[in-house]
Amino acid sequence: MTSKKIFSLTTLWYLAFATAAAIVVPIIFSFINLTDVQQYTFSFFGINVIFTIISGLIVGIKKQPFIYLFFFPILYLIGVRLFFESFAYYIAIVYLLIGFLTYGAVKD
């Protein structure tokens, strides 16, 4: 991956959407006073899984570098540190695996 691709507009878009899914969504959930169970369900197994699948599909279909799939789990770990309990760290591995599975399913 060349430095031109690393500092491209595409990279900024992936970072922006990953930030929105990993950090902005928990902020919104805390403002609308959802219970902890609702926050975990909607965030961990709803929005984040859908985002991971879509980003894996887009990266695979457009044949972009797979490094883009690391953005969301890394930002997710930062968001977990700010908003959720410590058990949620392990879900980042699940998101990474889902992203790579969808990337591999459509790559060829």
Side-chain angles (χ1 to χ4, degrees):
M1 188 167 173
T2 64
S3 63
K4 184 177 179 182
K5 282 190 175 183
I6 292 174
F7 300 109
S8 68
L9 186 60
T10 305
T11 304
L12 290 175
W13 277 109
Y14 279 107
L15 282 173
F17 281 109
T19 302
I23 297 176
V24 175
V25 168
I27 292 171
I28 292 170
F29 284 164
S30 66
F31 280 129
I32 59 176
N33 293 327
L34 294 177
T35 65
D36 288 342
V37 173
Q38 290 172 331
Q39 285 182 0
Y40 295 152
T41 304
F42 291 137
S43 182
F44 294 162
F45 305 112
I47 295 170
N48 291 349
V49 170
I50 291 170
F51 175 78
T52 304
I53 291 171
I54 290 172
S55 63
L57 289 172
I58 291 171
V59 170
I61 290 171
K62 292 187 175 185
K63 297 183 182 1
Q64 295 173 333
F66 69 90
I67 197 76
Y68 292 149
L69 298 177
F70 286 102
F71 292 165
F72 175 67
I74 290 170
L75 289 171
Y76 167 79
L77 289 173
I78 294 169
V80 164
R81 180 134 174 101
L82 298 173
F83 299 104
F84 296 112
E85 302 295 326
S86 63
F87 73 87
Y89 290 118
Y90 301 111
I91 298 175
I93 297 168
V94 174
Y95 295 149
L96 194 60
L97 291 174
I98 290 170
F100 278 115
L101 286 172
T102 55
Y103 170 77
V106 297
K107 188 170 181 336
D108 291 325

